[in-house]
Amino acid sequence: MIDTVLYIAIGAVGLAQLLAMVRLVIGPHTGDRILALDTMVINAIGLIILLGMLWGTQIYFESALIFAMLGFVSTVALARFVLRGDIIE
């Protein structure tokens, strides 16, 4: 029963990932693209955690934490670059 629920959740998050990718490609403004990229990072974290639950290994949870930290830093750096034109002051 739980495997079926996990497969459905993986499919739903995968669909959300594809829709965010479409928004990344056709987004009319730069802010839309940054938001779509951040959404893709969150969806990727969700997929990593769901796969870790499905396969029953704990290494995926640690990799999800590392990916979350890198995703946050990259989103902030990209937003600062778009707003100011420079990342480091």
Side-chain angles (χ1 to χ4, degrees):
M1 175 72 180
I2 200 84
D3 289 341
T4 306
V5 172
L6 286 174
Y7 284 125
I8 292 171
I10 288 172
V13 175
L15 179 65
Q17 183 81 343
L18 288 175
L19 292 174
M21 192 178 303
V22 168
R23 175 52 64 191
L24 180 69
V25 172
I26 65 169
H29 303 291
T30 308
D32 294 332
R33 291 191 170 113
I34 292 173
L35 187 63
L37 187 64
D38 192 41
T39 304
M40 287 178 65
V41 168
I42 292 170
N43 288 337
I45 293 167
L47 281 173
I48 292 170
I49 289 174
L50 286 172
L51 287 175
M53 289 172 63
L54 182 66
W55 291 333
T57 58
Q58 294 181 358
I59 192 73
Y60 289 102
F61 302 118
E62 295 173 6
S63 64
L65 285 172
I66 292 171
F67 194 72
M69 289 187 291
L70 289 174
F72 173 74
V73 169
S74 66
T75 302
V76 170
L78 184 61
R80 284 187 69 172
F81 178 73
V82 168
L83 289 176
R84 297 183 183 165
D86 190 20
I87 297 172
I88 299 172
E89 295 179 4

